[in-house]
Amino acid sequence: MSEFKPETKCLHSGYTPSKGEPCALPIYQSTTFKYDTTDEMGALFDLKAEGYFYTRLQNPTNDAVAAKIADLEGGVAAVLTSSGQAANFYAVFNICEAGDHVVAASTIYGGTFNLLSVTLKKLGIDCTFVDTDASAEEITAAFQPNTKVLFAETIANPALVVLDIEKFASVAHAHGVPLIVDNTFATPINCRPFEWGADIVTHSTTKYMDGHAVQVGGAIVDSGNFDWDAYGHKYHGLTEPDESYHGVIYTKQFGKKAYITKATTQLMRDLGSIPSPMNCFLLNLGLETLPLRVERHCHNAQKVAEFLNSHEKVTSVNFAGLQGDKYYSLAQKYLPNGTCGVISFELNGGREAAVRFMDSLKLAVIATHVAASITMVLHPASHTHRQMNDEQLLEAGVSPGMIRLSVGIENADDIIADLAQALENA
């Protein structure tokens, strides 16, 4: 449905009912699918036919939602996972193995930082972190002969650094590696990284795509633009026979869908991490209203950011919608319609003032979540980034007193009134 606008795609992509079929996406709540002959089932296992036989690999509900997200991002294919963490793990692990190396922006979500710096290291994959604002030359210096991926976030969580996608894409492609961008905060409503040179996009669908905090999920979308065969010596998992699937060569058999097909048939087969059909159904409901909610989140966040920026007890506000923000010009380039509903700020008094402020809130909810319909607040140093020491916190763009505020879709005046009364006690 490439001819339609995102608002229309959110409602119609992925599932088109035929005569007499339900208008709402059906929930195929089944592990198993029936066939009439042995050969029919065998062709599916040989990847010589399309169809469903076991939900760990494919499910009609899940695939419809994946197709919608792929269409929204402008990709050729997508796969859904059981969480955003699983999406980022699969996205990297699909093309990396023991002995390989990753370069990543340092100002990324704490869980992803830990995934790349600790967990993947246990699997023999090393990672070098670079300042997101570093020059192309400085990023280039982090590359090694065995580097396979450059990874970053469109809008960093929670530092709210806006990525210069073209700069990162240029460096990645100069070294013959793909750029993977986590587009969770921006969503494809406000930014489509493929249009700026990114090759693979990931999402925590738990966030804005869901919007109601009712399902945990992730997505990986492939642009189909990276030429894996041109660098076959690096990405032999895609360009050489996979003996676990009768010698199939993914790039030869599946073309531009090779990367997603391998992630589905190999990683999902061996590691699982699938979302349930029910969760995908709930995600689809969230996607239908995504454009409306994102617009409201951005509108409210702009008003809240302006209020905080003018308050005497607030020492700093990070929100790229403010003209004085360091990333304002990049946001105007990549996210002209708005960034997201998340703001980070710091109060006079640092960590202690942050705790007093949060404990005084009446409308906003203290929760380890973000991008839901209701306003939520978090102290990253105590919560999401708790595993980091102070040095790592600063490297990730998180000061000990930083407060992350996820502005909801309530009336903006009510949100501001709640913040104002809490600030009196900070």
Side-chain angles (χ1 to χ4, degrees), residues 96-151:
C96 290
E97 59 186 39
D100 288 340
H101 177 253
V102 175
V103 177
S106 60
T107 52
I108 54 177
Y109 169 60
T112 309
F113 186 98
N114 199 59
L115 168 69
L116 296 175
S117 64
V118 178
T119 303
L120 284 182
K121 190 172 184 178
K122 295 177 181 177
L123 299 176
I125 301 169
D126 288 328
C127 182
T128 299
F129 291 96
V130 296
D131 187 338
T132 313
D133 297 331
S135 66
E137 292 75 20
E138 290 172 314
I139 301 170
T140 293
F143 276 72
Q144 302 174 8
N146 58 339
T147 301
K148 295 287 187 68
V149 168
L150 179 58
F151 184 96

Side-chain angles (χ1 to χ4, degrees), residues 14 25 60-70 80 280-281 283-284 287:
L25 175 66
T61 305
N62 300 19
D63 285 1
V65 182
K68 176 176 286 189
I69 293 173
L80 300 185
C280 293
F281 173 81
L283 170 58
N284 188 61
L287 287 169

Side-chain angles (χ1 to χ4, degrees), residues 39-49 53 245-246 248 253-254:
D39 287 344
E40 286 177 340
M41 181 72 79
L44 295 172
F45 276 94
D46 285 343
L47 304 181
K48 294 179 179 178
F53 55 93
Y245 259 116
H246 313 292
V248 63
Q253 186 162 333
F254 300 101

Side-chain angles (χ1 to χ4, degrees), residues 36-354:
D36 294 329
T37 69
T38 302
D39 287 344
E40 286 177 340
M41 181 72 79
L44 295 172
F45 276 94
D46 285 343
L47 304 181
K48 294 179 179 178
E50 293 185 1
Y52 300 96
F53 55 93
Y54 199 63
T55 284
R56 187 173 82 245
L57 293 175
Q58 287 179 296
N59 176 281
T61 305
N62 300 19
D63 285 1
V65 182
K68 176 176 286 189
I69 293 173
D71 196 20
L72 285 169
E73 285 286 7
V76 296
V79 61
L80 300 185
T81 61
S82 58
S83 69
Q85 281 295 95
N88 283 333
F89 170 57
Y90 279 27
V92 173
F93 197 58
N94 198 36
I95 48 178
C96 290
E97 59 186 39
D100 288 340
H101 177 253
V102 175
V103 177
S106 60
T107 52
I108 54 177
Y109 169 60
T112 309
F113 186 98
N114 199 59
L115 168 69
L116 296 175
S117 64
V118 178
T119 303
L120 284 182
K121 190 172 184 178
K122 295 177 181 177
L123 299 176
I125 301 169
D126 288 328
C127 182
T128 299
F129 291 96
V130 296
D131 187 338
T132 313
D133 297 331
S135 66
E137 292 75 20
E138 290 172 314
I139 301 170
T140 293
F143 276 72
Q144 302 174 8
N146 58 339
T147 301
K148 295 287 187 68
V149 168
L150 179 58
F151 184 96
E153 294 176 354
T154 312
I155 305 172
N157 174 15
L160 302 181
V161 172
V162 176
L163 179 70
D164 188 340
I165 305 173
E166 285 189 318
K167 178 181 70 177
F168 269 66
S170 176
V171 173
H173 297 158
H175 289 82
V177 307
L179 171 62
I180 300 178
V181 174
D182 185 329
N183 198 35
T184 296
F185 269 15
T187 83
I189 302 304
N190 282 346
C191 183
R192 282 170 287 282
F194 294 155
E195 297 174 1
W196 302 99
D199 300 289
I200 297 158
V201 159
T202 62
H203 285 277
S204 169
T205 63
T206 317
K207 309 303 189 299
Y208 285 116
M209 284 188 168
D210 169 355
H212 303 87
V214 294
Q215 64 85 42
V216 175
I220 309 169
V221 188
D222 184 14
S223 67
N225 294 332
F226 192 82
D227 189 349
W228 304 107
D229 283 318
Y231 305 98
H233 62 289
K234 290 184 179 181
Y235 304 105
H236 53 84
L238 287 162
T239 62
E240 296 178 8
D242 179 359
E243 299 306 328
S244 70
Y245 259 116
H246 313 292
V248 63
I249 299 175
Y250 292 101
T251 54
K252 285 189 168 31
Q253 186 162 333
F254 300 101
K256 289 182 177 294
K257 296 184 177 181
Y259 174 88
I260 292 297
T261 302
K262 178 178 179 293
T264 302
T265 59
Q266 192 182 87
L267 298 188
M268 280 298 184
R269 175 198 64 191
D270 295 346
L271 300 174
S273 302
I274 61 164
S276 72
M278 184 66 200
N279 273 14
C280 293
F281 173 81
L282 294 171
L283 170 58
N284 188 61
L285 291 181
L287 287 169
E288 290 186 352
T289 61
L290 180 63
L292 299 172
R293 290 183 290 101
V294 166
E295 182 179 5
R296 181 59 174 261
H297 281 293
C298 291
H299 169 268
N300 283 359
Q302 184 70 36
K303 295 185 70 173
V304 169
E306 291 171 359
F307 162 76
L308 290 171
N309 199 44
S310 64
H311 199 282
E312 60 182 10
K313 288 193 175 182
V314 178
T315 58
S316 63
V317 178
N318 295 320
F319 182 70
L322 295 174
Q323 289 193 18
D325 190 87
K326 180 180 180 180
Y327 299 101
Y328 180 78
S329 60
L330 278 177
Q332 292 303 299
K333 175 180 178 178
Y334 294 115
L335 305 117
N337 296 321
T339 55
C340 64
V342 182
I343 299 168
S344 64
F345 62 99
E346 194 152 355
L347 305 179
N348 294 325
R351 185 188 292 263
E352 292 75 18

